Amino acid sequence: MILQALSQYYQRIAANDDGVAVEGFQKQPIPFLIVLDETGRFIDIQDTRTGEGKKKIAREFIVPKAVKKTSGIASNLLWDVPAYVFGIPKPDTKKDEAALKKRAIEQRQDFIKRIKEAFPNTEFESGIRAVLSFLEKSDFEPVFSHLSWKEISESGSLLSFQLEGDTCLVCERPAVAGAIQDKAMDESDSKSICLVTGQKDVPSILHTAIKGVWGAQTSGANIVSFNLGAFSSYGKTQGNNAPVGVKTEFQYTTALNILLKKRSLQRLQVGDASTVFWAEKKHKLEDVFADIFGEPAKVDQSQDIKSLIAALHAPQIGTKPELDPQTKFYVLGLAPNAARIAVRFWYQDTVQQVLDHIERHFEDCAIVHGPNQPDTLSIFRLLVSTAVQGKSENIQPNLAGDMMRSILNGTPYPKSLLAAAINRIKAEQARKDQNGKSIQNVSYARASLIKAMLVRENRYYHSDQKEVSMSLDITNNNTGYRLGRLFAVLEKTQEEANPGLNATIRDRFYGAASSTPVAVFALLMKLKNHHIDKLENRGRAINFEKLIGEIMSGIEEFPAHLSLQDQGRFAVGYYHQRQDFFTTKEK
């Protein structure tokens, strides 16, 4: 199903984009071009890169499909690194220089042989004649004396050829490209049923490497791979174990590499999962999906999402829908696994269902917050709040994929998410900023995440427990929630009794108060009396006493332990009460 959906996506973009590579070709950044005249004489080296310093970006060209690079010698057709083109190896102090030179000579011979095998009749095309003439004459001194050569040889940059006056590569010239494509279609290997399309096709023995998966090998990795005898059966080897036609293999690998490439708007990093998404036909959801789940954009996209949801709900109010709500939408999460790629999660449903579940997620996460904070938080911000030091690389493995799957399916969030959020709150109860001030450990993101966890679990399992609200709820009699409120009031009393205090009871007692209340609340209530006596504003002191009395009226006794869910309610109660202190009250 995954390969089929990717193959269909390729067909969609190929029908609308002239820049998409056709079968037998691929898009490839080529930093330097060897410019020749029609006799094969060297003219110049053209640098195709733009930008400054290390941020230089090479121009992309459509070149013959790359060969599968292994420990052996295998050259690409009409493009490769200097070792294959000129027989000059990339300097490497860790390897024997003589062995490197010997191998580079063999690589150059293979490069020329590959061109001759692909074009046995060199007279038909002037570009091929010029390239072969240049390579066989071996008069490379003008190349080696060029200003760009030092950088090319040291970096091992990719090279290709261009005729003087042309704007395309030799391999992009119509006659050359046509010959390469015809040769790919004339394959005479035995055909078998393609497992993806159900049609007869030549099976692809080695699938093209997938590049761009975070943490995988830079040379690429494979989703479909049989490279050991233990993986084979019935005498079949490599790709014949799961025959995928060469046409389908080209389509799905090309589509996936396009989705995963740098600066792609249809990819995002969710924890350790490189996630790509697409629709069966062009849809606005593709433009905003990354902003919902990934790193937030500079401009808040929440209004765009709400407008999109409203547009898709149009049929319910009798108006014509602007977008087809039944368009299929796909989400694929990939993670590295040595030389292979593991599918972390796979999701497919209609755009209508996707947006309904996203809308529900936003509603579940909604909680009172400061005036300068956004109304919605991305999954990235929610997950980072559970990570050590707030770093994305410290997000627990599998947690991001499990959470995204829960959002898209409308099911309860992973239970480990609640534990991760509560553990970070306890771990940071005494954390201070660079000025020595205590950092709020029950942050907006953590409170929002815990509230969403509790609300969704309560709804999904039809619990009789009162649902946690968006803001302060004085009617909520859950012991954990009330104890969280009480702790916030006691902390506020201490702060007002001791202006400028750097450390509060939160820095010493939050962890114990939220898990074993009976161990600390008796002491905190005694300290409260001392703090209230110090307040100069007696009206304020009376208000605190009334508030504490209102909260305590719903607590029969301090429990010995709070469950994980009640520890979550403690955190939300604490957050709600703190927010209420800083909310302007209307008379």
Side-chain angles (χ1 to χ4, degrees):
M1 187 61 77
I2 296 174
L3 304 189
Q4 186 180 52
L6 285 167
S7 179
Q8 291 170 352
Y9 178 68
Y10 169 83
Q11 294 168 22
R12 173 197 136 186
I13 57 177
N16 299 310
D17 184 1
D18 294 334
V20 176
V22 296
E23 188 174 350
F25 292 82
Q26 68 181 53
K27 270 191 172 182
Q28 179 69 44
I30 305 288
F32 297 97
L33 305 182
I34 307 298
V35 182
L36 309 172
D37 66 12
E38 289 198 356
T39 66
R41 183 172 62 89
F42 172 75
I43 302 297
D44 193 13
I45 295 179
Q46 181 182 337
D47 188 342
T48 71
R49 299 171 300 171
T50 56
E52 297 293 334
K54 294 182 179 180
K55 294 184 178 180
K56 286 184 177 181
I57 301 173
R59 179 183 164 192
E60 283 190 337
F61 296 90
I62 295 179
V63 299
K65 188 177 177 181
V67 295
K68 191 87 171 181
K69 295 285 186 179
T70 61
S71 57
I73 294 175
S75 60
N76 292 313
L77 182 59
L78 293 169
W79 65 280
D80 220 308
V81 294
Y84 278 94
V85 178
F86 295 107
I88 303 295
K90 182 180 177 181
D92 191 340
T93 56
K94 296 180 181 179
K95 295 182 179 180
D96 180 59
E97 186 177 353
L100 286 175
K101 287 183 177 179
K102 181 181 177 183
R103 180 179 171 85
I105 293 171
E106 294 174 355
Q107 288 172 321
R108 178 172 176 269
Q109 291 171 349
D110 188 74
F111 186 77
I112 297 173
K113 179 183 175 184
R114 178 86 193 277
I115 297 175
K116 289 183 175 180
E117 287 177 348
F119 307 100
N121 179 15
T122 59
E123 297 301 318
F124 90 103
E125 218 289 322
S126 58
I128 299 298
R129 287 201 307 272
V131 171
L132 282 174
S133 174
F134 170 74
L135 293 173
E136 290 176 335
K137 285 178 183 176
S138 300
D139 181 17
F140 301 144
E141 190 56 38
V143 178
F144 299 157
S145 61
H146 195 279
L147 293 175
S148 298
W149 175 249
K150 183 179 179 181
E151 182 181 0
I152 293 171
S153 62
E154 290 178 353
S155 62
S157 299
L158 289 174
L159 301 165
S160 192
F161 301 94
Q162 185 179 67
L163 285 191
E164 185 181 20
D166 278 2
T167 57
C168 64
L169 302 183
V170 169
C171 58
E172 291 179 311
R173 289 166 69 94
V176 176
I180 296 172
Q181 207 168 357
D182 290 343
K183 185 174 179 60
M185 294 176 67
D186 288 339
E187 294 286 348
S188 59
D189 297 298
S190 59
K191 294 185 177 182
S192 60
I193 299 297
C194 173
L195 295 181
V196 178
T197 64
Q199 304 295 320
K200 278 195 171 185
D201 196 359
V202 177
S204 179
I205 304 303
L206 294 175
H207 291 218
T208 303
I210 305 301
K211 298 181 180 181
V213 175
W214 179 82
Q217 297 176 355
T218 54
S219 58
N222 291 93
I223 292 180
V224 181
S225 174
F226 299 83
N227 65 339
L228 293 175
F231 305 147
S232 302
S233 60
Y234 295 98
K236 296 182 182 298
T237 59
Q238 298 181 316
N240 284 318
N241 283 277
V244 175
V246 291
K247 183 176 182 180
T248 302
E249 181 270 335
F250 167 76
Q251 291 179 348
Y252 95 77
T253 55
T254 301
L256 194 49
N257 278 320
I258 288 173
L259 290 167
L260 284 166
K261 69 179 182 181
K262 281 187 177 180
R263 293 174 294 280
S264 169
L265 299 178
Q266 288 175 243
R267 72 158 292 171
L268 62 138
Q269 195 64 37
V270 182
D272 66 338
S274 298
T275 305
V276 294
F277 49 89
W278 68 96
E280 64 177 340
K281 56 186 179 183
K282 183 63 179 173
H283 202 284
K284 281 187 179 180
L285 183 56
E286 292 176 323
D287 301 328
V288 296
F289 192 85
D291 294 315
I292 301 169
F293 291 103
E295 176 64 46
K298 293 182 179 179
V299 180
D300 183 20
Q301 296 285 340
S302 58
Q303 186 58 47
D304 293 337
I305 294 294
K306 291 172 183 176
S307 300
L308 192 56
I309 292 171
L312 290 172
H313 287 168
Q316 298 173 9
I317 58 175
T319 59
K320 184 178 179 180
E322 296 180 17
L323 301 167
D324 182 7
Q326 297 306 312
T327 299
K328 286 286 182 65
F329 196 79
Y330 307 95
V331 184
L332 175 63
L334 303 171
N337 182 16
R340 293 179 178 80
I341 296 172
V343 176
R344 184 70 80 202
F345 57 87
W346 165 247
Y347 173 85
Q348 59 176 347
D349 210 329
T350 63
V351 167
Q352 180 76 63
Q353 286 295 321
V354 173
L355 288 169
D356 283 347
H357 290 151
I358 290 174
E359 186 177 31
R360 172 63 75 177
H361 166 70
F362 283 154
E363 291 173 357
D364 289 345
C365 289
I367 196 169
V368 63
H369 56 81
N372 296 324
Q373 293 171 316
D375 290 336
T376 58
L377 293 170
S378 70
I379 187 175
F380 175 83
R381 288 299 171 202
L382 294 174
L383 288 170
V384 160
S385 71
T386 70
V388 177
Q389 298 180 333
K391 294 183 178 179
S392 58
E393 57 265 30
N394 292 333
I395 296 172
Q396 294 180 16
N398 298 335
L399 191 59
D402 291 344
M403 184 178 182
M404 175 169 272
R405 189 184 298 110
S406 298
I407 294 172
L408 295 173
N409 290 320
T411 54
Y413 301 106
K415 293 186 181 296
S416 57
L417 194 60
L418 179 59
I422 290 173
N423 287 340
R424 290 319 309 157
I425 289 174
K426 291 179 180 179
E428 296 183 6
Q429 66 184 48
R431 189 179 166 201
K432 292 179 171 53
D433 61 17
Q434 57 186 3
N435 298 318
K437 290 285 186 180
S438 294
I439 292 176
Q440 181 62 272
N441 57 340
V442 187
S443 63
Y444 169 37
R446 288 173 185 154
S448 174
L449 185 58
I450 293 171
K451 183 255 183 182
M453 285 278 304
L454 296 171
V455 167
R456 183 162 293 201
E457 190 173 84
N458 198 60
R459 181 176 64 248
Y460 196 81
Y461 295 112
H462 306 290
S463 173
D464 57 0
Q465 190 73 246
K466 183 176 176 62
E467 187 172 291
V468 179
S469 61
M470 180 176 172
S471 57
L472 181 64
D473 181 8
I474 62 174
T475 65
N476 191 329
N477 288 323
N478 176 270
T479 301
Y481 184 82
R482 282 190 171 261
L483 287 175
R485 289 183 59 202
L486 177 61
F487 192 81
V489 175
L490 296 178
E491 182 187 27
K492 182 65 174 173
T493 305
Q494 182 190 30
E495 289 174 341
E496 294 197 11
N498 303 278
L501 193 66
N502 284 336
T504 68
I505 59 173
R506 185 185 74 240
D507 299 290
R508 288 186 57 194
F509 298 111
Y510 182 92
S514 62
S515 53
T516 56
V518 71
V520 296
F521 267 102
L523 172 62
L524 295 178
M525 293 300 285
K526 290 179 182 179
L527 288 174
K528 174 265 300 182
N529 295 330
H530 172 69
H531 296 146
I532 287 182
D533 288 342
K534 288 183 66 177
L535 290 173
E536 295 181 1
N537 187 332
R538 299 319 300 167
R540 187 65 171 156
I542 292 170
N543 287 337
F544 275 129
E545 289 282 18
K546 286 182 178 180
L547 183 54
I548 292 171
E550 177 264 311
I551 296 171
M552 288 294 296
S553 64
I555 302 174
E556 296 180 2
E557 61 178 356
F558 295 125
H561 298 280
L562 288 179
S563 66
L564 190 64
Q565 284 73 18
D566 281 343
Q567 289 182 46
R569 293 184 178 91
F570 183 100
V572 176
Y574 172 83
Y575 178 83
H576 278 169
Q577 190 65 62
R578 290 284 302 181
Q579 288 293 318
D580 188 67
F581 283 135
F582 301 104
T583 302
T584 303
K585 308 296 188 299
E586 293 183 6
K587 292 184 179 180

